[in-house]
Amino acid sequence: MTRKTGALAALKKLESERAKLDTKQQELETKAATELGRMFLGSGIETFSAKSLKLIGIALGKMNEEQALATLKIGGSAQTR
């Protein structure tokens, strides 16, 4: 096997692994979305528009947990669990 062929085989293998990782990532993102959805069902937040929920999520995501709780005037994280 020449060096060129070895590089081509390695590239093909890498592309295959990347495709598998992309599929796995999509599966995990779907599971994570389901878990998050279950946490919020019945909380009242499901009445918010999708646009507002995304804006709220982005804003909260820019803060750490303690900052978010303080901003929302909610007690420590143990209270919310």
Side-chain angles (χ1 to χ4, degrees), residues 5-21:
T5 305
L8 291 173
L11 181 59
K12 190 171 187 173
K13 181 180 176 187
L14 181 63
E15 289 171 349
S16 174
E17 290 171 357
R18 184 174 291 134
K20 289 176 187 176
L21 286 173

Side-chain angles (χ1 to χ4, degrees), residues 66 69-70 72-80:
E66 297 305 318
L69 293 171
L72 295 171
K73 296 179 175 50
I74 298 173
S77 56
Q79 179 182 347
T80 60

Side-chain angles (χ1 to χ4, degrees), residues 50-69:
K51 182 179 179 181
S52 292
L53 279 173
K54 185 168 185 171
L55 291 171
I56 292 165
I58 290 169
L60 291 173
K62 290 178 181 177
M63 302 177 206
N64 66 40
E65 185 175 357
E66 297 305 318
Q67 290 171 322
L69 293 171

Side-chain angles (χ1 to χ4, degrees), residues 4 36-37 39 57 73:
K4 186 175 180 182
L36 287 168
M39 280 189 269
K73 296 179 175 50

